[in-house]
Amino acid sequence: MEELRKSFKGRDFLSLRDFTGREINFILDEAARLKAMQKAGIPHPYLQGKTLAMIFQKSSTRTRVSFEVAMLHLGGHALFLSPRDIQMGRGESVPDTARVLSRYVDGIMIRTFSQSEVEELAEYATVPVINGLTDLTHPGQILADLLTVKEHKGQLAGLKLAYIGDGNNIAHSLLLGCPKVGMHISVASPEGYRPNPDIVTLAKQAAEETGVKVEVISNPVQAITDADVVVTDVWASMGQEQEQKEREQAFAGYQVNQALCAHAKPDYIFLHCLPAHRGEEVTADIIDGPHSAAWDEAENRLHIHKALLALLL
């Protein structure tokens, strides 16, 4: 285990594609350990004197607060950098930004639009780069989801997760992560809003190794039938606001509500990365009801980010 721990040091965290099932489970275990220490009031300043640059091209509540608090708990310091605060917002290149920040800080977290921008930043940085979200993937969120499922269900392997809605970055990262930890995954999206086919191919390749089922279909009832975990996300993500009305029509039959969830297992749990639009992708009685673990999920962003920072930095 010590060798596995050492193998994380200095690595980037760009996509769950880059991590094995064993490594993903190790991160979850580390997050659970740090969470227990925090709850018990045991200090864990593993990153004393370390600094994290946080580049935000997209605004955030959970990502900013959880990374900042994580660094504080770990004894380090985080710097919030919006486009107005750094020269990237005025045309400085990503490689130049990466080179300069690497001389100042011990790690970089970036929340932005393009996955290629994150990958370019990592290519030129000499410190670990963490993907805080792109339009293509949201790997840290899905680790928080998996930690929440494990807490509520006691296991991951053999469970079925149903994702209902837009084939976006959440769907992509669930597809990349679930098969690696032995979870079946069924994604229901309307035509024209399906997940990236290259990511679906990667998911099915991982599923062959672990013996689980991956399906991408259009029927939400079929997807949610016998699901242990039900997940959804907003129909229009940041940058897609102008498509709101069009998307409301396309996703009209994909609302997670009592009628749809009646097809899941009686003890299913509901997850949502937040922010949620009650009355659109999910009804209030689901997200605020007894099956919802969305608030545990939101808290677990902190513990996952803490684990990632402690391991990579």
Side-chain angles (χ1 to χ4, degrees), residues 8-280:
F8 283 94
K9 189 173 182 181
R11 288 176 67 179
D12 299 316
F13 183 75
L14 310 183
S15 169
L16 293 180
R17 174 183 180 175
D18 306 325
F19 291 81
T20 66
R22 183 170 180 244
E23 289 172 332
I24 291 170
N25 276 303
F26 187 83
I27 297 169
L28 299 181
D29 290 343
E30 181 71 359
R33 185 179 74 86
L34 291 170
K35 182 176 183 176
M37 292 179 74
Q38 179 181 319
K39 299 294 185 185
I42 301 171
H44 39 282
Y46 300 143
L47 298 182
Q48 193 77 44
K50 300 278 187 178
T51 51
L52 176 73
M54 305 190 305
I55 301 173
F56 281 87
Q57 307 280 39
K58 281 189 174 187
S59 60
S60 169
T61 299
R62 282 150 290 277
T63 301
R64 178 177 178 180
V65 175
S66 59
F67 269 110
E68 211 161 310
V69 172
M71 282 300 288
L72 178 65
H73 287 181
L74 291 167
H77 181 71
L79 299 92
F80 173 78
L81 305 172
S82 76
R84 297 183 301 276
D85 299 317
I86 58 175
Q87 297 299 325
M88 261 178 76
R90 299 177 61 237
E92 184 168 31
S93 72
V94 172
D96 285 357
T97 301
R99 293 182 181 108
V100 170
L101 287 180
S102 295
R103 300 293 183 106
Y104 297 148
V105 300
D106 301 287
I108 304 169
M109 188 284 297
I110 180 168
R111 181 179 171 94
T112 189
F113 294 89
S114 170
Q115 183 77 16
S116 61
E117 185 175 49
V118 175
E119 292 171 357
E120 187 178 21
L121 188 71
E123 180 182 352
Y124 289 94
T126 56
V127 297
V129 171
I130 297 171
N131 176 2
L133 171 143
T134 68
D135 288 345
L136 187 69
T137 63
H138 198 354
Q141 175 65 59
I142 270 50
L143 290 183
D145 293 3
L146 295 177
L147 178 59
T148 307
V149 173
K150 197 169 184 180
E151 288 175 342
H152 280 261
K153 296 294 184 180
Q155 65 185 72
L156 295 175
L159 299 180
K160 177 183 176 180
L161 182 144
Y163 174 87
I164 312 295
D166 188 25
N168 59 12
N169 50 9
I170 293 294
H172 291 157
S173 291
L174 284 169
L175 282 164
L176 291 172
C178 287
K180 291 188 175 184
V181 295
M183 292 181 71
H184 307 282
I185 178 169
S186 184
V187 175
S189 304
E191 292 289 345
Y193 299 93
R194 296 280 182 87
N196 182 303
D198 292 336
I199 288 180
V200 175
T201 298
L202 289 171
K204 290 184 175 179
Q205 289 172 351
E208 288 177 5
E209 296 179 11
T210 54
V212 299
K213 184 177 181 180
V214 170
E215 61 178 2
V216 176
I217 55 179
S218 57
N219 188 330
V221 172
Q222 182 181 339
I224 204 172
T225 297
D226 293 328
D228 300 281
V229 185
V230 177
V231 187
T232 193
D233 192 11
V234 295
W235 291 340
S237 299
M238 278 183 284
Q240 299 171 336
E241 289 81 3
Q242 72 282 2
E243 302 174 25
Q244 180 67 33
K245 293 300 180 184
E246 174 188 335
R247 284 173 171 266
E248 285 178 7
Q249 293 179 352
F251 289 97
Y254 291 80
Q255 184 186 74
V256 176
N257 52 35
Q258 291 287 0
L260 185 60
C261 289
H263 298 278
K265 287 186 178 175
D267 62 344
Y268 79 92
I269 63 169
F270 172 77
L271 301 178
H272 193 306
C273 64
L274 304 175
H277 297 162
R278 290 166 175 81
E280 291 183 19

